[in-house]
Every structure is written in C-alpha cells, then in structure tokens.
Amino acid sequence: MNDSMNILILSCGTRNKIVQYFKTELKGRGKVIATDCSELAPALYDADKHFIVPRMDEEGYVDIILSICKENNIKAVLSLIDPELNLLAENRQAFLDIGTTPIVSESDVVEICFDKYIMCEFLIKNGFKTIRSYIDKEEFYKDVESGIVDYPVFVKPVKGSASININKVSAKEEIDLLFDNHDNLMIQEFMDGIEYGADCYIDMISNETVAIFIKEKIKMRAGETDKSVSVKDDKLFELIKKFIKVSGFKGIIDIDIFKVDGEYYISEVNPRFGGGYPHGYESGVSIPKMIIENIAGNINENVIGKYDEGVYMMKYNEVKIFKTTK
Ligand SMILES: Nc1ncnc2c1ncn2[C@@H]1O[C@H](COP(=O)(O)OP(=O)(O)O)[C@@H](O)[C@H]1O
Ligand SMILES: [Mg+2]
C-alpha cells in the first residue's frame, strides 16, 4: 500500500467526471478519495472512498484534511472550488511534510486570479492585451465623455465566479443603480467577439506548459461552458505559453480569452479544473494522467495542440441514486 498513488479530490460536488477520469487513469495503481461538506454531493459516490467534512471556513478544517491525507497515504490533493485553492496553496508545506503534493499554483498567483481587477492590472503591467476595466465609476464616466470607452459595457463583481451578478449595461442610470446596490463591482468594455476557454497543464516538476486545449465557447449555462467546439490556433498557443511563463502558474489552470477584431484579450484565470474540462479529456488531453505522472516522479512530454479540431461538446444531465443504510 505504501507506494500506492492515492489522490484526494476536495469539494468534489457535482464534478463526477473528474473523479471518474482519475479512477480511469490510475488503472488500479491507487485510489481516488473524495470529500465534500454535503453528503448529497453526487461525485462522492463515484470515488473509491469518501469523507464528509466540515465547511472549509470552519476552524480546524485544514487539520482534518491533513489527517485524511496522512491516514490514507495521499500523494496528491486538489480542490474543485475557488475559495479552497488558496487554502491549499498557503498550507503547501504542511502537506508536503506528510508526503502529499497540493496540485495548485503558489498563493500569490492564486490571489491574483481571484481579483479580476488586480488580474487586469497584472496583464497590463506585463504587456498583455486585456479588457479595459474600471472600479471607479466616475473615472469610467469621464472616459465615456472623452470618447475612450462607450456603452454597452459589462458590469460584474471584482471577485465573482459562476457568472453570478453579471450584467450587460447600456446606460449610466443602470450603472448607478448597480453600484448603489452592490459593493466591489467593476465595469468592463463589452467584448463583442468570440470567447475561448483554454485548459492548461503546467508540469509540476519541469514547470513547463505541457498541455493546452482550446475550445470556442458556443453556449454558457450557469457560469459553465455548456456547448463548445475544439479549435487549434498557433498564435493563441504562443500567447498562452508566454502568459503562463510570466505569471508562474503550476498544475491545472483554465483561462478565458476573447477574440475581437482578430486580437486576443486574456480575461480571467481559474487555477483549477474548469467546468468545461470534460471536453479536453474526451478529446484526448488527459490532465489527470499528467498529474499521476508527476506524482510518480516523471516529467510529462509536451502535447500542446495534440488533439483534433472541430470536436463538439454538449453537456446533459445525469442522476445519482443513493439509499441510506439507516
Ligand atoms: N467584458 C465582457 N464582455 C462580454 N462578455 C463578458 C465580459 N466579461 C464577462 N463576460 C461573459 O460573462 C461570463 C462570466 O464572466 P467571467 O469574467 O468569466 O466571470 P466568472 O466566470 O468568474 O463568473 C464570461 O464567460 C463571458 O461569457
Ligand atoms: Mg469565467
């Protein structure tokens, strides 16, 4: 059991596919263990073993996860939800001390991802095109007057996720109303073009970007890619590689990019498996396999762009049935 490659997936929720992919790729060389704070998280029941844990903001949570890792000889741990990523990054050493590798970028990099305005400043500072953004609405109004920016615009929370409270806005009155009722909003130029999602893996040993899978988003639903088609684009591969190198990401990331008038604009990064990742996996880009190679001590070969173009993904619902023994 000592050399088994057990993997722990935290806050697995409804991400059954991710649990299944790890099981498939481990080929019996280790177990997939999943946690969630709700016993009604369906993905728990696809894992080899599961634990119901407290909510991540409860005191002592990290210690509980650490003891699960220790007792179950966990080699790698990852989380599927945003607020937990920094918890893993900040406690990296405590996990490493017990032989568990957190599959996540460094804490400072994770922090940048969760503040869309800071990400925007970071992109500008490093010479990448990004979406013109404002957190000060008066500054925005001034730029409207001087013709630098115009309606429609996109208003969203600086620290938002899952497309919650996103608005396309066409008038000053609407912006005033939104800003009166919500804190921490940002105003962005409306990107009228094509939106892409890129699933990337940065090797945890070599620190090289070894996988990029690009999909054009056709339809979004509840903040997730619902329908998409795979695309290949050398210019975009190069841009993504350069961006990753400058930012220092590690492990899995999911990048949102817009193309407007032939130019690419990096929008945001989720430093975890994106909701649309099944498209990449089913197209042959197996990030779970790359993680397993890394924890076995092997460097992954570069497979950037090694997938077919024109492959469509369409999501649909499934159900999990579970009977208590009570
Ligand atoms: N500036 C923008 N212009 C046009 N559409 C946008 C803009 N910003 C966001 N969107 C749309 O809203 C969705 C959610 O916004 P995003 O910034 O990715 O936040 P999150 O995914 O964290 O909720 C995007 O996938 C995109 O479809
Ligand atoms: Mg997004």
Side-chain angles (χ1 to χ4, degrees):
M1 211 29 203
N2 259 352
D3 56 349
S4 63
M5 295 199 279
N6 297 341
I7 291 170
L8 181 66
I9 302 177
L10 302 176
S11 303
C12 62
T14 56
R15 311 287 298 276
N16 295 59
K17 291 272 178 215
I18 304 289
V19 172
Q20 291 164 14
Y21 297 157
F22 274 100
K23 271 169 80 174
T24 303
E25 298 295 354
L26 275 170
K27 300 187 176 83
R29 289 172 293 171
K31 294 204 174 341
V32 178
I33 300 171
T35 70
D36 202 279
C37 64
S38 164
E39 62 176 7
L40 295 184
L44 288 171
Y45 305 101
D46 275 347
D48 293 305
K49 189 173 175 183
H50 71 263
F51 293 94
I52 311 297
V53 295
R55 290 182 63 89
M56 61 150 288
D57 45 15
E58 272 180 46
E59 234 189 276
Y61 178 78
V62 179
D63 290 330
I64 292 171
I65 302 303
L66 281 165
S67 67
I68 291 175
C69 288
K70 219 171 157 178
E71 279 157 28
N72 294 276
N73 193 19
I74 300 292
K75 289 289 172 354
V77 59
L78 57 123
S79 172
L80 299 179
I81 60 163
D82 289 337
E84 202 161 39
L85 299 172
N86 212 10
L87 197 92
L88 283 182
E90 280 176 347
N91 291 284
R92 182 185 303 277
Q93 196 53 48
F95 283 99
L96 291 176
D97 288 347
I98 58 165
T100 306
T101 304
I103 309 296
V104 71
S105 297
E106 300 295 339
S107 180
D108 51 342
V109 185
V110 172
E111 284 283 336
I112 294 176
C113 297
F114 293 128
D115 187 310
K116 292 182 167 77
Y117 192 71
I118 291 181
M119 175 57 89
C120 174
E121 289 180 324
F122 176 85
L123 285 160
I124 293 168
K125 200 180 84 198
N126 288 288
F128 294 98
K129 281 204 164 62
T130 185
I131 312 168
R132 193 183 293 278
S133 304
Y134 302 83
I135 39 175
D136 179 350
K137 68 180 168 104
E138 301 307 327
E139 203 178 303
F140 165 72
Y141 296 147
K142 249 197 296 179
D143 277 4
V144 173
E145 292 213 337
S146 39
I148 293 169
V149 63
D150 199 6
Y151 296 99
V153 289
F154 214 78
V155 179
K156 61 187 177 186
V158 171
K159 295 193 173 183
S161 72
S163 296
I164 295 163
N165 197 18
I166 60 169
N167 302 274
K168 186 179 175 183
V169 172
S170 303
K172 181 173 185 290
E173 296 71 43
E174 279 179 81
I175 293 186
D176 284 333
L177 195 66
L178 284 166
F179 272 70
D180 282 348
N181 289 299
H182 303 277
D183 291 327
N184 298 318
L185 293 179
M186 71 192 280
I187 305 166
Q188 280 194 335
E189 226 169 346
F190 183 76
M191 293 281 108
D192 194 4
I194 301 168
E195 186 177 0
Y196 299 95
D199 300 296
C200 313
Y201 189 68
I202 302 97
D203 195 277
M204 301 284 295
I205 300 173
S206 70
N207 289 328
E208 292 293 323
T209 303
V210 289
I212 305 175
F213 174 81
I214 305 172
K215 54 192 178 292
E216 182 180 325
K217 300 182 182 185
I218 299 169
K219 188 171 176 281
M220 302 285 288
R221 192 167 67 118
E224 275 194 7
T225 307
D226 194 50
K227 298 180 194 298
S228 49
V229 58
S230 61
V231 294
K232 290 206 242 186
D233 183 324
D234 287 335
K235 196 174 152 199
L236 192 46
F237 287 142
E238 287 312 310
L239 174 71
I240 290 170
K241 277 198 280 186
K242 197 171 145 210
F243 169 62
I244 289 174
K245 196 152 220 128
V246 170
S247 337
F249 285 106
K250 265 194 205 170
I252 321 138
I253 65 167
D254 163 43
I255 312 177
D256 287 346
I257 304 130
F258 287 94
K259 183 160 120 184
V260 181
D261 297 331
E263 294 285 349
Y264 291 108
Y265 297 81
I266 296 172
S267 171
E268 67 146 359
V269 179
N270 295 307
R272 56 167 167 76
F273 277 109
Y277 174 67
H279 192 174
Y281 183 85
E282 306 291 349
S283 303
V285 181
S286 179
I287 292 178
K289 183 159 178 259
M290 295 171 202
I291 292 172
I292 294 164
E293 286 298 335
N294 275 172
I295 60 177
N298 305 322
I299 290 177
N300 288 286
E301 60 170 311
N302 183 332
V303 295
I304 295 174
K306 288 204 176 150
Y307 56 87
D308 287 336
E309 258 184 311
V311 176
Y312 285 80
M313 177 193 71
M314 298 147 276
K315 283 194 182 164
Y316 66 98
N317 288 332
E318 295 205 36
V319 294
K320 183 66 85 186
I321 302 296
F322 174 71
K323 186 176 185 305
T324 61
T325 46
K326 277 172 214 157

